[in-house]
Amino acid sequence: MVYQRGGTYEVVLTGTSYQPSMELSVELYSEDRKVGLMSVVPYNITQSGSTYTYRFNVRPYDYMSNYIKSEHYQYYWLNDWYETNETININNPYPNILKVNFKYKYQYFSGLQYTGATGYTDYNHYTDIPYCATSTGFTASGFTNTGNYFNYVGGTLQMGDEKYFLSNFDQELGTVVGTGLTINTVDINRRLSPMSQYLFDYPSLPEMSETSRFLTDSPRIQYIQSKENYVLYYLNGQTGDRQVIEADYAVFEFYNNNNQQIAGTYFEQQLNFSGTTYASPTGFTDTLKIFALPCGPKDITNLFATIDFSQVAYYRVQLFYAYPTNSVNRITLGPIGPVSEAFYFYLYDNCGPEDTRLGFLNNRGGYDYYTFTRYRQDIKKIKRETYDNRYYATSLSSPDRNVGRTVKTFDTDVQREFVLESDFLSEPMGNWLEQLFYSPQVYEIKEDFISPLDRQDKVYKDLRPIQILSTEVETINTKHKKLNKYRITCKYADGFFVNKGF
């Protein structure tokens, strides 16, 4: 499984002759469809006796990232989680994740044509297996082949020395090792991979019930208003190297001001249904996807349960695993135990003058949300191009001719901008919010609505695409703590005269 920047693979070729034109031909596949071909020259050639060793570095993410597409879901179904799950998760056309595989062969010039390997070899995962006594008749080499599919998860596309903000560090799970014409990961110790933090129990062999974190760096304690939405994103399904991340249930618990659980408000929502590939994966089937769990007060009311939020001080959300069954109703037995960290949502009413809620694609591949509660400053910059009608009039009658209007509008460009200010925030909070500033996908989020022209159980999310143009920060120091206040200038990214959907 490869996350964001992807892994760098070292392919090692050994032979008994020196070939100066040696190269590695790599075929790239997306969703089992060939999308590219790359040729790689060796970065190092060494000789030991009569043996020549050619080392190649293969880094396919830069190219494959062109096929990753992300979009915040735009509608859901009122009081129907099953249909909503089908729409926003299972059949999501822009899931921000890609199943890829690679094939390679070596070749070099001999005479006037290429020669070398006759066929392509699959890149494969090799996963650690526990030590096994030879008396069992199973001679374990230490690793087992766990398939040839890799998963690319898109995060914030970042700028830097060339075109990235952050350096290209490996974020790869599923070690690939061996000898001869085989593949090795640069980072053999997967525990050092940043993506490993999204698996709680580091795998020692392919098995069920890997546990996952939510795809966010946001604080685990959130402050939210009863009219607002919030969505947590997580990995669900079987990875290309046969690690099963199963989030079968979401458990909600609601508490009052005395930290007492409110009677009758606890509920559990089944997420994975028995009989599906997410609850019962088989073989090398790669089903890994990013799933969305709507869990804001507005989402809970519209999708799951009727809760009187006037009595709720805060509530808790966590993912649990369960066991699949053969029930004709596709019931999964559970929830049994937690497979994610818990998120806490504290409710408040904004006493400030105005709310502006933003959602943005974060570094981990999910979406985060933040509400600015101060006054916003709206700006419209209007630019016009004109022409003088005196020289082009084809008749003596035209609009406004009697009042002498000869200069007419040829084109109008409207740039809509607004300025937001945050409260003074702690350093950790500010560090997380900086992901908003360089995110390529930011939305202003208005309240959900039901269109009178569409089905009355179809709830639309009112998303306004925006861009962050500039940021400023003001810092104060209080009692050995540094607090930052951010001022950002935003621009609407949808054309003023363009109908949405076109």
Side-chain angles (χ1 to χ4, degrees):
M1 172 181 167
V2 184
Y3 184 80
Q4 272 190 268
R5 300 277 71 84
T8 296
Y9 303 100
E10 183 183 49
V11 179
V12 181
L13 170 67
T14 57
T16 57
S17 64
Y18 173 68
Q19 300 294 338
S21 61
M22 181 68 70
E23 65 181 45
L24 194 73
S25 176
V26 183
E27 292 183 336
L28 304 99
Y29 293 81
S30 168
E31 307 296 336
D32 294 316
R33 179 173 59 93
K34 183 178 176 181
V35 295
L37 178 68
M38 61 191 300
S39 295
V40 183
V41 297
Y43 74 88
N44 180 265
I45 303 175
T46 58
Q47 179 183 4
S48 177
S50 60
T51 301
Y52 291 87
T53 302
Y54 303 83
R55 297 181 181 274
F56 304 87
N57 265 351
V58 180
R59 189 176 194 88
Y61 177 83
D62 285 349
Y63 180 81
M64 298 304 299
S65 63
N66 295 308
Y67 294 89
I68 295 179
K69 296 180 181 180
S70 176
E71 177 185 87
H72 196 290
Y73 71 86
Q74 298 182 7
Y75 64 90
Y76 57 92
W77 301 99
L78 188 65
N79 299 321
D80 191 343
W81 168 246
Y82 184 86
E83 191 65 31
T84 296
N85 187 47
E86 292 279 335
T87 299
I88 70 176
N89 290 327
I90 297 176
N91 296 321
N92 182 4
Y94 306 109
N96 201 26
I97 190 170
L98 206 60
K99 181 181 75 173
V100 300
N101 63 292
F102 314 106
K103 298 181 179 183
Y104 64 95
K105 72 175 182 179
Y106 71 90
Q107 59 187 22
Y108 57 89
F109 268 114
S110 178
L112 299 177
Q113 61 185 5
Y114 274 114
T115 187
T118 56
Y120 283 89
T121 302
D122 279 320
Y123 280 153
N124 286 311
H125 291 280
Y126 284 87
T127 303
D128 299 314
I129 58 176
Y131 174 77
C132 185
T134 56
S135 59
T136 63
F138 175 67
T139 56
S141 63
F143 301 90
T144 184
N145 185 331
T146 46
N148 65 335
Y149 286 118
F150 294 77
N151 302 107
Y152 282 163
V153 181
T156 297
L157 305 181
Q158 300 158 353
M159 309 289 292
D161 295 337
E162 298 177 351
K163 56 181 179 178
Y164 301 112
F165 274 131
L166 302 180
S167 58
N168 281 332
F169 49 83
D170 292 333
Q171 302 192 75
E172 188 265 348
L173 287 177
T175 306
V176 189
V177 296
T179 58
L181 183 58
T182 57
I183 313 160
N184 298 266
T185 55
V186 170
D187 182 8
I188 296 301
N189 187 350
R190 284 169 292 170
R191 292 179 188 269
L192 300 180
S193 165
M195 187 51 191
S196 293
Q197 63 181 305
Y198 288 86
L199 290 171
F200 275 170
D201 47 341
Y202 174 77
S204 58
L205 73 165
E207 59 182 6
M208 297 284 285
S209 300
E210 296 302 326
T211 57
S212 175
R213 284 176 54 187
F214 291 113
L215 297 177
T216 178
D217 295 317
S218 64
R220 296 329 186 226
I221 296 178
Q222 291 286 324
Y223 294 88
I224 195 168
Q225 300 181 62
S226 58
K227 64 181 180 180
E228 291 179 337
N229 304 82
Y230 201 97
V231 186
L232 288 170
Y233 294 82
Y234 60 95
L235 294 172
N236 186 39
Q238 181 171 244
T239 70
D241 55 342
R242 301 183 70 186
Q243 300 173 50
V244 179
I245 303 173
E246 52 169 334
D248 298 317
Y249 275 89
V251 173
F252 296 79
E253 299 173 354
F254 299 83
Y255 296 84
N256 59 24
N257 290 326
N258 298 319
N259 288 325
Q260 296 174 337
Q261 187 172 335
I262 302 174
T265 59
Y266 168 92
F267 73 92
E268 51 202 38
Q269 178 60 52
Q270 185 176 348
L271 304 177
N272 285 341
F273 295 87
S274 292
T276 65
T277 56
Y278 297 99
S280 311
T282 57
F284 289 95
T285 304
D286 186 318
T287 62
L288 191 69
K289 280 191 177 182
I290 294 179
F291 271 41
L293 174 63
C295 55
K298 196 69 175 178
D299 303 301
I300 293 172
T301 300
N302 287 342
L303 278 173
F304 302 126
T306 301
I307 302 294
D308 182 5
F309 280 98
S310 65
Q311 306 299 317
V312 178
Y314 67 94
Y315 63 95
R316 182 179 185 273
V317 180
Q318 193 171 21
L319 299 178
F320 280 65
Y321 75 93
Y323 291 136
T325 69
N326 60 359
S327 166
V328 295
N329 296 321
R330 305 174 70 187
I331 299 298
T332 303
L333 180 62
I336 297 175
V339 293
S340 79
E341 75 278 42
F343 258 70
Y344 291 83
F345 294 89
Y346 283 77
L347 276 80
Y348 77 101
D349 290 319
N350 178 24
C351 298
E354 197 168 7
D355 287 329
T356 302
R357 188 161 179 81
L358 302 184
F360 57 95
L361 179 67
N362 64 30
N363 285 359
R364 302 300 178 187
Y367 288 87
D368 285 338
Y369 308 87
Y370 185 79
T371 299
F372 292 83
T373 56
R374 294 172 176 263
Y375 269 128
R376 54 183 275 170
Q377 177 185 356
D378 286 271
I379 308 166
K380 281 190 175 69
K381 297 180 180 179
I382 302 175
K383 180 182 177 181
R384 285 191 175 91
E385 295 183 20
T386 63
Y387 68 97
D388 196 327
N389 194 48
R390 289 178 300 171
Y391 305 111
Y392 303 103
T394 58
S395 66
L396 295 179
S397 61
S398 62
D400 274 357
R401 183 180 181 86
N402 292 338
V403 295
R405 185 191 297 276
T406 61
V407 177
K408 305 292 181 70
T409 298
F410 174 72
D411 180 59
T412 302
D413 182 31
V414 180
Q415 301 290 336
R416 297 168 295 153
E417 300 179 4
F418 57 94
V419 181
L420 301 173
E421 280 192 358
S422 72
D423 298 322
F424 279 99
L425 307 175
S426 64
E427 265 195 292
M429 187 80 170
N431 291 338
W432 161 67
L433 197 59
E434 287 180 1
Q435 295 185 25
L436 162 67
F437 305 152
Y438 56 73
S439 174
Q441 212 166 16
V442 185
Y443 305 91
E444 181 189 10
I445 301 179
K446 301 286 189 178
E447 289 192 48
D448 296 351
F449 67 95
I450 295 177
S451 171
L453 303 178
D454 207 337
R455 289 175 51 174
Q456 295 305 288
D457 61 345
K458 188 175 184 180
V459 183
Y460 283 93
K461 303 192 73 64
D462 194 349
L463 304 174
R464 316 283 177 90
I466 65 173
Q467 291 178 317
I468 307 297
L469 297 182
S470 62
T471 61
E472 302 172 24
V473 61
E474 177 185 345
T475 302
I476 62 173
N477 295 308
T478 59
K479 295 182 180 179
H480 308 292
K481 290 184 179 180
K482 186 167 73 171
L483 302 177
N484 295 327
K485 179 171 75 171
Y486 295 92
R487 178 184 175 91
I488 65 174
T489 302
C490 308
K491 171 186 173 182
Y492 283 101
D494 55 338
F496 188 74
F497 299 107
V498 178
N499 288 327
K500 292 184 177 181
F502 292 87

Short mmCIF file of all heavy atoms in Angstrom, two decimals, residues 25 45 91 107-108 115 124 150 175 180 192 207 214 243 249 260-261 273 316 318 324 328 349 363 371 375 399 424 438:
data_model
loop_
_atom_site.label_atom_id
_atom_site.label_comp_id
_atom_site.label_asym_id
_atom_site.label_seq_id
_atom_site.Cartn_x
_atom_site.Cartn_y
_atom_site.Cartn_z
N SER A 25 12.55 -1.24 -18.42
CA SER A 25 11.28 -0.82 -19.02
C SER A 25 10.16 -1.14 -18.05
O SER A 25 10.01 -2.29 -17.61
CB SER A 25 11.05 -1.53 -20.35
OG SER A 25 9.78 -1.19 -20.89
N ILE A 45 26.21 1.19 -11.09
CA ILE A 45 26.67 -0.08 -11.67
C ILE A 45 27.97 -0.44 -10.96
O ILE A 45 28.91 0.36 -10.90
CB ILE A 45 26.92 0.03 -13.18
CG1 ILE A 45 25.65 0.50 -13.91
CG2 ILE A 45 27.39 -1.31 -13.75
CD1 ILE A 45 25.87 0.74 -15.40
N ASN A 91 -19.88 3.93 -4.57
CA ASN A 91 -19.96 4.33 -5.98
C ASN A 91 -19.46 5.75 -6.22
O ASN A 91 -19.83 6.39 -7.20
CB ASN A 91 -21.41 4.21 -6.46
CG ASN A 91 -21.91 2.78 -6.43
OD1 ASN A 91 -21.17 1.85 -6.75
ND2 ASN A 91 -23.16 2.58 -6.02
N GLN A 107 16.32 -4.49 -20.53
CA GLN A 107 16.63 -4.56 -21.96
C GLN A 107 17.85 -3.70 -22.24
O GLN A 107 18.18 -2.77 -21.50
CB GLN A 107 15.43 -4.09 -22.80
CG GLN A 107 14.98 -2.68 -22.51
CD GLN A 107 13.69 -2.32 -23.25
OE1 GLN A 107 12.92 -3.19 -23.62
NE2 GLN A 107 13.46 -1.05 -23.46
N TYR A 108 18.53 -4.02 -23.35
CA TYR A 108 19.71 -3.25 -23.76
C TYR A 108 19.88 -3.44 -25.27
O TYR A 108 19.32 -4.36 -25.88
CB TYR A 108 20.96 -3.70 -23.00
CG TYR A 108 21.28 -5.18 -23.14
CD1 TYR A 108 22.10 -5.65 -24.18
CD2 TYR A 108 20.76 -6.11 -22.23
CE1 TYR A 108 22.38 -7.00 -24.31
CE2 TYR A 108 21.04 -7.46 -22.36
CZ TYR A 108 21.86 -7.89 -23.40
OH TYR A 108 22.13 -9.22 -23.53
N THR A 115 17.43 -6.16 -26.86
CA THR A 115 17.34 -7.55 -26.43
C THR A 115 17.32 -7.57 -24.91
O THR A 115 17.56 -6.55 -24.26
CB THR A 115 18.52 -8.38 -26.95
OG1 THR A 115 18.30 -9.76 -26.64
CG2 THR A 115 19.83 -7.93 -26.34
N ASN A 124 5.71 -7.06 -6.89
CA ASN A 124 4.92 -7.75 -5.88
C ASN A 124 5.25 -7.25 -4.49
O ASN A 124 6.38 -6.81 -4.23
CB ASN A 124 5.16 -9.27 -5.92
CG ASN A 124 4.51 -9.92 -7.12
OD1 ASN A 124 3.34 -9.69 -7.38
ND2 ASN A 124 5.27 -10.72 -7.85
N PHE A 150 -0.97 -2.02 -5.60
CA PHE A 150 -0.60 -0.95 -4.69
C PHE A 150 -1.75 0.06 -4.66
O PHE A 150 -2.52 0.17 -5.61
CB PHE A 150 0.68 -0.26 -5.15
CG PHE A 150 1.90 -1.14 -5.10
CD1 PHE A 150 2.12 -2.10 -6.08
CD2 PHE A 150 2.83 -1.00 -4.09
CE1 PHE A 150 3.24 -2.90 -6.05
CE2 PHE A 150 3.95 -1.81 -4.04
CZ PHE A 150 4.16 -2.76 -5.02
N THR A 175 6.51 -4.37 2.52
CA THR A 175 7.91 -4.42 2.14
C THR A 175 8.11 -5.32 0.92
O THR A 175 7.47 -6.35 0.79
CB THR A 175 8.75 -4.96 3.31
OG1 THR A 175 8.48 -4.17 4.45
CG2 THR A 175 10.22 -4.90 3.01
N GLY A 180 18.65 -11.02 -6.72
CA GLY A 180 18.60 -11.13 -8.18
C GLY A 180 17.75 -10.02 -8.77
O GLY A 180 17.78 -8.88 -8.32
N LEU A 192 8.94 3.11 10.17
CA LEU A 192 9.38 4.50 9.96
C LEU A 192 8.53 5.22 8.93
O LEU A 192 8.67 6.42 8.77
CB LEU A 192 10.85 4.51 9.51
CG LEU A 192 11.86 3.89 10.49
CD1 LEU A 192 13.26 3.98 9.93
CD2 LEU A 192 11.78 4.60 11.84
N GLU A 207 -3.89 -10.68 7.62
CA GLU A 207 -4.94 -11.15 8.51
C GLU A 207 -6.04 -10.10 8.57
O GLU A 207 -5.87 -8.96 8.14
CB GLU A 207 -4.40 -11.42 9.92
CG GLU A 207 -3.78 -10.19 10.55
CD GLU A 207 -3.21 -10.49 11.94
OE1 GLU A 207 -3.21 -11.67 12.34
OE2 GLU A 207 -2.79 -9.54 12.60
N PHE A 214 -8.46 7.94 11.53
CA PHE A 214 -9.13 8.84 10.60
C PHE A 214 -8.08 9.63 9.82
O PHE A 214 -7.01 9.96 10.34
CB PHE A 214 -10.06 9.78 11.36
CG PHE A 214 -11.25 9.11 11.96
CD1 PHE A 214 -11.40 9.02 13.33
CD2 PHE A 214 -12.23 8.55 11.15
CE1 PHE A 214 -12.50 8.40 13.90
CE2 PHE A 214 -13.33 7.92 11.71
CZ PHE A 214 -13.47 7.84 13.08
N GLN A 243 -3.89 -6.52 3.60
CA GLN A 243 -4.20 -6.08 4.95
C GLN A 243 -5.64 -5.58 4.92
O GLN A 243 -6.00 -4.76 4.10
CB GLN A 243 -3.26 -4.96 5.39
CG GLN A 243 -1.80 -5.37 5.39
CD GLN A 243 -0.90 -4.20 5.65
OE1 GLN A 243 -1.10 -3.45 6.59
NE2 GLN A 243 0.10 -4.04 4.80
N TYR A 249 -18.72 -0.69 12.22
CA TYR A 249 -19.74 0.07 12.94
C TYR A 249 -19.19 1.43 13.34
O TYR A 249 -17.99 1.57 13.62
CB TYR A 249 -20.18 -0.67 14.22
CG TYR A 249 -21.27 -1.68 14.00
CD1 TYR A 249 -20.96 -3.00 13.67
CD2 TYR A 249 -22.61 -1.34 14.12
CE1 TYR A 249 -21.95 -3.94 13.47
CE2 TYR A 249 -23.62 -2.28 13.92
CZ TYR A 249 -23.28 -3.58 13.60
OH TYR A 249 -24.26 -4.51 13.40
N GLN A 260 -22.54 12.98 32.04
CA GLN A 260 -23.35 11.76 32.13
C GLN A 260 -23.94 11.45 30.76
O GLN A 260 -24.43 12.34 30.06
CB GLN A 260 -24.48 11.95 33.14
CG GLN A 260 -23.99 12.17 34.57
CD GLN A 260 -25.13 12.50 35.52
OE1 GLN A 260 -26.18 12.98 35.10
NE2 GLN A 260 -24.92 12.25 36.80
N GLN A 261 -23.88 10.17 30.40
CA GLN A 261 -24.44 9.77 29.12
C GLN A 261 -25.96 9.94 29.16
O GLN A 261 -26.63 9.50 30.09
CB GLN A 261 -24.08 8.33 28.80
CG GLN A 261 -24.49 7.92 27.39
CD GLN A 261 -23.94 6.54 27.03
OE1 GLN A 261 -22.95 6.09 27.58
NE2 GLN A 261 -24.61 5.88 26.10
N PHE A 273 -21.65 -4.16 5.43
CA PHE A 273 -22.72 -5.14 5.46
C PHE A 273 -22.19 -6.51 5.05
O PHE A 273 -21.40 -6.62 4.11
CB PHE A 273 -23.86 -4.70 4.53
CG PHE A 273 -24.54 -3.43 4.97
CD1 PHE A 273 -24.05 -2.19 4.58
CD2 PHE A 273 -25.64 -3.47 5.81
CE1 PHE A 273 -24.65 -1.02 4.99
CE2 PHE A 273 -26.26 -2.30 6.23
CZ PHE A 273 -25.75 -1.08 5.82
N ARG A 316 -19.49 11.72 21.29
CA ARG A 316 -18.29 10.96 20.98
C ARG A 316 -18.55 10.05 19.78
O ARG A 316 -19.61 9.43 19.69
CB ARG A 316 -17.92 10.13 22.21
CG ARG A 316 -16.67 9.28 22.16
CD ARG A 316 -16.52 8.58 23.51
NE ARG A 316 -15.28 7.82 23.61
CZ ARG A 316 -15.13 6.57 23.21
NH1 ARG A 316 -16.16 5.94 22.67
NH2 ARG A 316 -13.98 5.95 23.36
N GLN A 318 -16.68 6.92 17.31
CA GLN A 318 -15.57 5.99 17.16
C GLN A 318 -15.98 4.84 16.26
O GLN A 318 -17.15 4.45 16.21
CB GLN A 318 -15.13 5.45 18.53
CG GLN A 318 -13.79 4.73 18.52
CD GLN A 318 -13.30 4.42 19.92
OE1 GLN A 318 -14.07 4.39 20.88
NE2 GLN A 318 -11.99 4.21 20.07
N PRO A 324 -18.62 -10.76 10.24
CA PRO A 324 -19.65 -10.98 9.22
C PRO A 324 -20.44 -12.23 9.53
O PRO A 324 -19.95 -13.16 10.18
CB PRO A 324 -18.84 -11.14 7.93
CG PRO A 324 -17.49 -11.61 8.38
CD PRO A 324 -17.25 -10.97 9.72
N VAL A 328 -29.53 -13.39 6.02
CA VAL A 328 -30.12 -12.91 4.77
C VAL A 328 -30.32 -11.40 4.81
O VAL A 328 -30.45 -10.76 3.77
CB VAL A 328 -31.47 -13.62 4.49
CG1 VAL A 328 -31.25 -15.09 4.25
CG2 VAL A 328 -32.45 -13.40 5.64
N ASP A 349 -22.85 27.76 20.72
CA ASP A 349 -23.55 28.71 19.87
C ASP A 349 -22.64 29.91 19.67
O ASP A 349 -22.07 30.44 20.63
CB ASP A 349 -24.87 29.17 20.51
CG ASP A 349 -25.91 28.06 20.53
OD1 ASP A 349 -26.00 27.34 19.52
OD2 ASP A 349 -26.60 27.90 21.55
N ASN A 363 -3.82 17.04 4.12
CA ASN A 363 -2.62 16.31 3.70
C ASN A 363 -2.85 14.82 3.61
O ASN A 363 -2.15 14.12 2.86
CB ASN A 363 -1.49 16.56 4.70
CG ASN A 363 -0.87 17.94 4.54
OD1 ASN A 363 -1.28 18.70 3.68
ND2 ASN A 363 0.09 18.25 5.37
N THR A 371 -14.67 26.80 11.18
CA THR A 371 -15.61 27.92 11.12
C THR A 371 -14.94 29.19 11.62
O THR A 371 -14.42 29.22 12.75
CB THR A 371 -16.87 27.64 11.96
OG1 THR A 371 -17.53 26.48 11.44
CG2 THR A 371 -17.83 28.81 11.91
N TYR A 375 -16.60 38.90 11.79
CA TYR A 375 -17.14 39.54 10.58
C TYR A 375 -16.23 39.26 9.39
O TYR A 375 -15.01 39.24 9.51
CB TYR A 375 -17.24 41.06 10.77
CG TYR A 375 -18.55 41.53 11.33
CD1 TYR A 375 -18.61 42.35 12.45
CD2 TYR A 375 -19.74 41.16 10.72
CE1 TYR A 375 -19.81 42.79 12.97
CE2 TYR A 375 -20.96 41.60 11.23
CZ TYR A 375 -20.98 42.41 12.35
OH TYR A 375 -22.18 42.83 12.84
N PRO A 399 -31.02 50.67 -28.56
CA PRO A 399 -31.30 51.02 -27.17
C PRO A 399 -30.43 52.19 -26.70
O PRO A 399 -29.22 52.24 -26.98
CB PRO A 399 -30.96 49.74 -26.41
CG PRO A 399 -31.12 48.65 -27.40
CD PRO A 399 -30.70 49.24 -28.71
N PHE A 424 -7.53 34.10 18.14
CA PHE A 424 -6.16 33.75 18.47
C PHE A 424 -6.12 32.25 18.79
O PHE A 424 -6.86 31.76 19.65
CB PHE A 424 -5.66 34.57 19.66
CG PHE A 424 -5.21 35.94 19.27
CD1 PHE A 424 -6.05 37.04 19.45
CD2 PHE A 424 -3.96 36.14 18.69
CE1 PHE A 424 -5.64 38.30 19.07
CE2 PHE A 424 -3.54 37.41 18.32
CZ PHE A 424 -4.39 38.49 18.50
N TYR A 438 -2.67 26.12 1.95
CA TYR A 438 -2.08 25.65 0.69
C TYR A 438 -2.86 24.51 0.06
O TYR A 438 -2.40 23.87 -0.89
CB TYR A 438 -0.60 25.28 0.87
CG TYR A 438 -0.29 24.25 1.93
CD1 TYR A 438 -0.60 22.92 1.75
CD2 TYR A 438 0.35 24.62 3.10
CE1 TYR A 438 -0.29 21.98 2.70
CE2 TYR A 438 0.67 23.69 4.08
CZ TYR A 438 0.35 22.37 3.87
OH TYR A 438 0.66 21.42 4.82
#
